[in-house]
Amino acid sequence: MNHVMELLKSHTSVRKFTNKLVDDQLLKEIIQASQYASTSNHIQAYTIIRVKDQAKRKTLAKLSGDQPYVEECPIFLVFCADLNRLGKACSIHHEVIESSSTETFILATVDTALVAQNIMIAAESAGLGGVYIGGIRNNPQGVCDLLQIPHHVYPVFGMCLGYPEKINATKPRLPLSLILKEDTYSTDGDENHLTEYDELISNYYKVRTNNERSNTWTEGIATYLKNKQRPHMKDFLHNKGFEMK
Ligand SMILES: Cc1cc2nc3c(=O)[nH]c(=O)nc-3n(C[C@H](O)[C@H](O)[C@H](O)COP(=O)(O)O)c2cc1C
């Protein structure tokens, strides 16, 4: 394994940070390097908002379902999928952006996720740690009002970054046999692999939490996905101009 792969395999979300500040220049370099993420048709359909204002951070922590690290972390970034700038590019050439398709929504969302993951990896390579915050979609309109996010732009997730105070053991991932298939989508033998993985995850949580938590992966998924997640998102996105026709 080379050092990039070793870094990838050492990822674990960090939610506790030291007080050490992150140099502004370092952050800029991380983001500039990350901009080289692949991007559909070179559209670069994202905008990142760094939130420094402590009052706004406090509000964001609340809007995200009371996640204290949103307020406490040295750096908090909000990643927005952005068609607004692309609309301007079109209007320079006297065209109107056709933004109503599901495909445009996918393009912008995928571009945003790709640059964000580059930032996570680049930050980790510089000794920082972080965690994504999907919790900002608990109240996406509140986030838009707070950060003056315009039409045709939506907050996809946030990200806390900083120097880690506490690093958890890496969380085991699904075995390769479950996520990598050859030629066809075959599910033969998946049940056995899931049972083995459930045991692995249960043990991971037992060790991490001193036996306070021992749920399996499938239990966690069933608990999470038995309910409709964030049902407000459909109308929110529609009102923001992501019509998904
Ligand atoms: C899009 C996205 C949103 C997430 N939102 C949150 C969040 O709101 N709060 C949180 O504590 N972790 C959040 N996470 C972190 C995941 O829970 C974490 O990545 C996953 O459990 C795997 O653990 P690991 O990153 O430590 O390996 C999010 C991750 C992603 C990719």
Side-chain angles (χ1 to χ4, degrees), residues 217-234:
W217 184 76
T218 52
E219 275 168 353
I221 296 300
T223 308
Y224 179 50
L225 292 182
K226 71 180 176 193
N227 297 317
K228 212 182 230 179
Q229 296 300 314
R230 299 187 178 118
H232 52 267
M233 283 308 291
K234 187 166 187 257

Side-chain angles (χ1 to χ4, degrees), residues 11-13 15 64 67 69 131-137 157 171 173 204 208 230:
H11 163 79
T12 173
S13 291
R15 298 176 179 84
S64 307
Q67 301 199 56
Y69 24 96
V131 63
Y132 284 86
I133 302 294
I136 65 165
R137 295 193 309 277
F157 42 67
K171 206 185 275 185
R173 295 313 203 234
Y204 166 83
R208 180 169 151 183
R230 299 187 178 118

Side-chain angles (χ1 to χ4, degrees), residues 22-91:
V22 178
D23 184 62
D24 276 353
Q25 187 54 29
L26 173 63
L27 180 65
K28 279 186 191 157
E29 282 168 14
I30 287 170
I31 295 177
Q32 281 176 327
S34 301
Q35 281 183 268
Y36 287 86
S38 296
T39 157
S40 302
N41 261 291
H42 204 38
I43 59 173
Q44 305 170 77
Y46 49 80
T47 295
I48 304 161
I49 303 174
R50 177 182 179 183
V51 184
K52 283 179 155 182
D53 182 281
Q54 267 317 113
K56 287 187 176 167
R57 286 277 209 102
K58 204 183 170 85
T59 307
L60 285 170
K62 227 179 173 31
L63 290 174
S64 307
D66 289 317
Q67 301 199 56
Y69 24 96
V70 172
E71 188 182 348
E72 293 159 5
C73 63
I75 291 174
F76 188 69
L77 305 174
V78 173
F79 287 83
C80 302
D82 189 344
L83 301 179
N84 181 43
R85 184 189 307 120
L86 307 179
K88 281 190 189 137
C90 290
S91 69

Side-chain angles (χ1 to χ4, degrees), residues 2-3 5 8-9 13 33 51 66 86 118 121 131 142 155 161 185 191 217 223 233 236 238:
N2 65 36
H3 65 278
M5 291 193 226
L8 292 174
K9 285 190 81 173
S13 291
V51 184
D66 289 317
L86 307 179
N118 264 9
I121 301 300
V131 63
L161 290 174
Y185 189 99
E191 262 86 36
W217 184 76
T223 308
M233 283 308 291
F236 165 75
H238 191 270

Side-chain angles (χ1 to χ4, degrees), residues 34-205:
S34 301
Q35 281 183 268
Y36 287 86
S38 296
T39 157
S40 302
N41 261 291
H42 204 38
I43 59 173
Q44 305 170 77
Y46 49 80
T47 295
I48 304 161
I49 303 174
R50 177 182 179 183
V51 184
K52 283 179 155 182
D53 182 281
Q54 267 317 113
K56 287 187 176 167
R57 286 277 209 102
K58 204 183 170 85
T59 307
L60 285 170
K62 227 179 173 31
L63 290 174
S64 307
D66 289 317
Q67 301 199 56
Y69 24 96
V70 172
E71 188 182 348
E72 293 159 5
C73 63
I75 291 174
F76 188 69
L77 305 174
V78 173
F79 287 83
C80 302
D82 189 344
L83 301 179
N84 181 43
R85 184 189 307 120
L86 307 179
K88 281 190 189 137
C90 290
S91 69
I92 288 170
H93 297 280
H94 313 291
E95 300 287 356
V96 177
I97 187 168
E98 176 43 84
S99 60
S100 64
S101 67
T102 302
E103 179 65 9
T104 356
F105 167 76
I106 294 172
L107 295 179
T109 307
V110 169
D111 263 22
T112 307
L114 293 177
V115 78
Q117 183 60 9
N118 264 9
I119 289 174
M120 178 67 84
I121 301 300
E124 289 174 349
S125 78
L128 302 171
V131 63
Y132 284 86
I133 302 294
I136 65 165
R137 295 193 309 277
N138 286 356
N139 187 341
Q141 190 55 53
V143 174
C144 289
D145 294 344
L146 187 73
L147 305 179
Q148 295 164 32
I149 295 173
H151 195 64
H152 275 157
V153 185
Y154 92 94
V156 184
F157 42 67
M159 186 187 285
C160 303
L161 290 174
Y163 289 98
E165 163 98 31
K166 179 169 174 268
I167 300 182
N168 292 318
T170 52
K171 206 185 275 185
R173 295 313 203 234
L174 289 163
L176 200 59
S177 51
L178 282 173
I179 61 121
L180 177 66
K181 308 290 178 184
E182 229 172 271
D183 294 329
T184 57
Y185 189 99
S186 154
T187 55
D188 289 350
D190 278 8
E191 262 86 36
N192 288 343
H193 292 299
L194 275 178
T195 308
E196 283 161 25
Y197 185 60
D198 268 349
E199 207 166 307
L200 195 64
I201 285 289
S202 178
N203 285 332
Y204 166 83
Y205 283 127

